[in-house]
Amino acid sequence: MDGSDTEFGFELRSCRWAELAWPPDDRSSGAVLVARQLGTKRRRWDTIVLECDPDGLRKRARFGPERLDSDLRHVIRNAPAEWAYYRDALPEPGYSWRYVREAIHRADDRGILETRRNGNRIEIRRRWAYPDWFERVIAIENKPDLDAAAARDLRPQLEFDVALALADEVWVATRATGERVEPVLFEDLPVEAGILTLEPETLEADVAWYPRTLSVEKPGTHILERPTGGDRDASAARFEYVDPAEKTELRLGIAERAYERGWRSFVETMRPDCRHFELRDLNGLVPRCASKGRCQTAAECAGSCPAFEPEPPAWRTRDWPLEGGPGRLCRRLLEDRRRRRRPGL
């Protein structure tokens, strides 16, 4: 067992495939940025694919590798080209100006905003205009073994995604079976969701069902509560509308976190300093546990793992560079791969 049959291992290979081969049609998408385990407080997706404008993506690098949160975006996107008192330059935030001042100081510390004192007033001036760097958001749910029970659990999540229309497209990625008609096509899933069948070892994929493009520029529907069902249940679902401006901010927040994190950030919650931790070069540097003989899950690779053993000190002084052993080398390798996907850093 290589670990690709687990959802975590399959998810990493799905991310690598998207990085190499997206989009799965003849359409050109420019630059592609892939991240994993991102979303909103109500919904988290396995894989996020950002179709980016190459020039805009390079301009985004001016603001550094860290994400711009909503407070920073409020300041950076509205900062004037010429010096101005910040309260005159920025629109009403809808919350205390104290938080705006804190965001201004954070932006100044990061070198992405110019500030100066004019008496008791703080004046600001932008260094660069914030670019429109991403064009489309693609959400993918990874289910290597999508049987009927898994499909029943997944359907409400996909219905939520389709109704809200926060992503431009919603997909389900599952393991290819090689059958003439993939069994996943017989499952009760929303027709708006695309279906991708992936062979995780060879990273070959086919589209079993193309998705519909969702109306991200129109108001979305946030499903709050569903009827329980049954012959005697005639209750209606409870929902609320989400206006396009709020959806735009949510999409931008997801994109910023995807830019910061990428899909190779799994190492930040695992233990590469364990002597059994390895990176397989196959399919884009995925983790492997020599003790387990397979790709471990993120939950397994922790200090509480019974097989955990720290790297011997000799590894850091003999064959490995003095600045660290194999664990730090793994981190540097993955960080280097993440940086390559963000040109201009």
Side-chain angles (χ1 to χ4, degrees):
M1 184 174 69
D2 63 359
S4 63
D5 56 338
T6 67
E7 190 163 323
F8 175 71
F10 185 85
E11 182 178 294
L12 296 185
R13 287 161 173 81
S14 173
C15 290
R16 179 56 174 163
W17 169 83
E19 195 173 66
L20 293 172
W22 190 268
D25 52 29
D26 296 331
R27 173 178 53 85
S28 175
S29 67
V32 168
L33 194 67
V34 183
R36 53 178 292 272
Q37 294 299 317
L38 283 178
T40 66
K41 64 181 180 180
R42 296 187 178 96
R43 182 74 170 96
R44 179 181 294 269
W45 292 299
D46 293 337
T47 300
I48 291 289
V49 181
L50 298 180
E51 295 181 3
C52 303
D53 170 63
D55 184 57
L57 185 60
R58 186 170 291 276
K59 290 179 179 178
R60 168 59 185 82
R62 296 169 175 171
F63 298 91
E66 298 178 351
R67 68 185 174 101
L68 300 180
D69 59 34
S70 59
D71 289 350
L72 285 174
R73 294 197 304 271
H74 177 75
V75 172
I76 294 300
R77 296 171 69 191
N78 296 290
E82 301 297 333
W83 290 108
Y85 176 46
Y86 77 95
R87 285 207 183 196
D88 295 336
L90 302 178
E92 179 67 37
Y95 49 85
S96 173
W97 283 99
R98 174 170 62 88
Y99 299 108
V100 177
R101 290 195 299 272
E102 291 177 0
I104 288 173
H105 292 310
R106 286 195 288 130
D108 185 33
D109 291 341
R110 287 175 56 169
I112 56 178
L113 181 74
E114 292 184 306
T115 65
R116 73 180 184 185
R117 287 275 184 180
N118 185 0
N120 292 327
R121 292 188 164 200
I122 300 175
E123 296 183 339
I124 62 174
R125 182 175 68 178
R126 76 183 184 205
R127 298 195 63 184
W128 311 283
Y130 185 81
D132 293 326
W133 59 276
F134 75 96
E135 298 169 341
R136 301 177 82 233
V137 178
I138 312 298
I140 303 177
E141 284 296 315
N142 298 298
K143 298 294 180 185
D145 300 307
L146 189 63
D147 55 16
R152 283 194 301 270
D153 293 338
L154 185 59
R155 180 179 175 83
Q157 301 176 45
L158 297 177
E159 289 176 339
F160 180 96
D161 298 337
V162 171
L164 185 58
L166 196 58
D168 294 85
E169 292 177 359
V170 177
W171 291 75
V172 178
T174 188
R175 183 189 298 274
T177 64
E179 298 185 23
R180 188 173 65 88
V181 179
E182 289 288 343
V184 65
L185 290 173
F186 299 108
E187 302 298 345
D188 187 20
L189 298 175
V191 297
E192 295 87 351
I195 297 175
L196 186 80
T197 58
L198 174 68
E199 175 48 58
E201 286 308 298
T202 61
L203 293 187
E204 295 179 357
D206 291 306
V207 177
W209 186 270
Y210 280 95
R212 294 182 186 176
T213 299
L214 304 178
S215 301
V216 297
E217 73 283 353
K218 296 181 179 179
T221 302
H222 173 217
I223 301 174
L224 299 173
E225 184 179 354
R226 300 171 181 270
T228 57
D231 296 337
R232 298 179 180 274
D233 186 0
S235 58
R238 291 178 55 245
F239 64 90
E240 64 183 9
Y241 290 115
V242 181
D243 66 73
E246 183 178 351
K247 287 171 59 175
T248 298
E249 283 302 311
L250 288 171
R251 284 163 57 87
L252 190 51
I254 292 170
E256 280 289 337
R257 283 184 285 141
Y259 185 87
E260 176 185 54
R261 185 183 300 183
W263 68 269
R264 293 181 176 88
S265 60
F266 59 82
V267 73
E268 295 172 3
T269 57
M270 301 176 80
R271 294 302 302 266
D273 57 333
C274 174
R275 70 181 302 156
H276 301 300
F277 187 94
E278 301 172 349
L279 286 177
R280 293 183 65 193
D281 191 37
L282 178 67
N283 297 342
L285 295 179
V286 298
R288 182 180 185 276
C289 177
S291 175
K292 295 177 174 60
R294 58 175 171 80
C295 173
Q296 69 278 43
T297 67
E300 288 176 319
C301 190
S304 58
C305 174
F308 173 75
E309 295 183 51
E311 294 174 344
W315 285 11
R316 305 177 186 179
T317 58
R318 205 181 310 163
D319 297 329
W320 296 92
L322 293 177
E323 61 267 20
R328 291 191 180 180
L329 177 62
C330 290
R331 289 183 181 273
R332 290 197 299 271
L333 276 173
L334 292 172
E335 181 57 38
D336 180 63
R337 293 292 180 94
R338 289 163 66 185
R339 188 177 295 108
R340 290 183 194 178
R341 308 306 302 186
R342 298 174 291 180
L345 287 181

